[in-house]
Amino acid sequence: MPRKMPIDGEVNQASQVEEDAHFDFDLFVIGAGSGGVRAARFSANYGAKVGICELPFHPISSEVNGGVGGTCVLRGCVPKKILVYGANFGGEIEDARNYGWEINEKVDFNWKKLLQKKSDEIVRLNGIYKRLLSNAGVKLYEGEGKVAGPNEVELTQLDGTKLKYSAKHILIATGSKAQRPNIPGQELGITSDEALSLEDLPKRAVVLGGGYIAVEFASIWRGMGATVDLFLRRELPLRGFDDEMRAVVARNLEGRGINLHPRTNLTELTKTEDGIKVRTDHGEELLADVVLFATGRAPNTKRLNLEAAGVELDKTGAVKVDEFSRTNIPSIWAAGDVTNRMNLTPVALMEGSCFAKTVFAGQPTKPDYNHIPYAVFSIPPLSVVGLSEEQALDQANGDVLVFTSTFNPMKNTISGRQEKTVMKLVVDAETDKVLGASMCGPDAPEIMQGIAVALKCGATKQQFDSTVGIHPSAAEEFVTMRSVARRVTASGKPKTNL
């Protein structure tokens, strides 16, 4: 018999009728992305009988296509990072000349070869995720899942036939999908899905947006030789990040040859013989081979029939959940981007793990959203953990100390590349606790993962200072920043609209 559901150490008092009822599954998961697969596998390891459904695999998602592995693995973080690696070689080849490598003036780049390698890798990963589910004893169904009631899922198979399964618990893990702006000609643009599978590398690319996806694809295409114009609604990219670091990223993007258009929006796209004509709200016009809309993502809930069970959604369409990822319907849960909490793959994994512990291991566990590190894989990358300077001041009771280090990476002293690495620590003046860390420069994500452990453990600035550095490395700068760049009081909070 499926276990009872404990919350805050107490067993949930389900009715005897519910306890005695027979269910096809202890858990049925709709959506086999990172969070769904993690929840399914861990729940099965705790002894639950688990079913999971996912749309058939295709690199570009739609209402009828998806794939086991989800957005991150198939059309997000993983293929994006492969393209970032590919784009990085453009700059590396330039830099190699001053390191003695005699390289012919013209170096050809074969986009189709990289695209095929990328495709081969995501097909391989799709197979690995299927095997992970199978090895855990999870029953995988291919098709579209919908909620038919508090304890019932309807599955539409590939041939159109419908099946229904009962489950004591249902987990919604359908992620999110890219959005397009409502402008004339928007059908001529693409989203990140299509950008990862373009048949031809664009020579002229226009990117609309200022978030992760926008700056990453701008960096990718520029690194591969395209002319790139990046249109931002604000003055700086990456709203929500530390303002000082946002300015560093903007400077680096421009230094790499990307044309930034701050406080500018697109108003219309028109197809012409020479490409796509792009018109802006400033009256500018330019031609592009591709226009990427990196204008946000929305929770993927429209086709789930959640209203049938009375599941509450917020105004963005996200599933509303409590601290344990439970909806207002006790038998229905949700994890990952579909809840629009912190939309990162490792966070979806954490939420899936916590769900399984809470429901099937008798260990009520709330996801912990403190000190989660994250990275923007621009070229060079930005990575952060903890609070930005603005967030620290907003939450501070007293003064905040800011430590910064700006330097020319050792590699650049020989290559001649004019691109600074910037590091930053934000410290509580009273407790000496390090509240946040940021870095923009080569290897920033690799370095920040280690810094995140320190912040999670509550490290102080004195402990950073007493740590011996690795020399010569960029990372050692985090333990050698002795001088306070500035001391800011909470009353002097910077207000920004950048």
Side-chain angles (χ1 to χ4, degrees), residues 441-488:
D443 302 316
E446 309 296 337
I447 294 168
M448 199 56 60
Q449 183 66 78
I451 300 294
V453 176
L455 266 64
K456 191 77 172 177
C457 293
T460 63
K461 182 63 169 61
Q462 192 279 327
Q463 289 171 323
F464 269 66
D465 294 345
S466 66
T467 301
V468 176
I470 297 172
H471 183 76
S473 72
E476 67 180 313
E477 289 291 320
F478 272 118
V479 298
T480 59
M481 286 190 270
R482 300 286 192 268
S483 301
V484 178
R486 56 186 172 274
R487 184 183 187 111
V488 190

Side-chain angles (χ1 to χ4, degrees), residues 197-266:
S197 299
L198 286 176
E199 189 172 327
D200 297 304
L201 178 68
K203 293 181 180 178
R204 304 164 298 177
V206 163
V207 181
L208 175 63
Y212 290 76
I213 294 170
V215 299
E216 288 171 347
F217 274 99
S219 293
I220 288 167
W221 285 329
R222 181 61 195 145
M224 293 174 178
T227 297
V228 179
D229 287 86
L230 177 58
F231 291 84
L232 315 168
R233 285 182 289 185
R234 292 176 180 266
E235 186 66 30
L236 294 172
L238 302 173
R239 180 169 63 91
F241 283 75
D242 187 287
D243 284 347
E244 187 173 14
M245 304 307 289
R246 293 169 66 198
V248 172
V249 171
R251 188 163 62 243
N252 287 343
L253 293 174
E254 289 185 309
R256 293 270 175 164
I258 295 168
N259 304 312
L260 298 190
H261 302 261
R263 300 194 184 277
T264 307
N265 216 335
L266 303 189

Side-chain angles (χ1 to χ4, degrees), residues 55 62 172 174-177 298-304 317 337-338:
L55 295 167
S62 69
I172 307 299
T174 49
S176 61
K177 57 185 178 181
N300 199 9
T301 54
K302 285 185 179 178
R303 293 169 62 91
L304 292 175
D337 287 12
V338 75

Side-chain angles (χ1 to χ4, degrees), residues 10 15 17 56 113 139 147 164 182 196 213-214 229-230 250 258 262 328 412 420-421 446 449 458 473:
E10 296 183 1
S15 69
V17 173
K113 183 174 183 178
K139 176 66 175 174
V147 174
K164 285 192 175 182
N182 185 21
L196 290 162
I213 294 170
D229 287 86
L230 177 58
I258 295 168
N328 61 303
N412 290 359
K420 303 288 188 182
T421 285
E446 309 296 337
Q449 183 66 78
S473 72

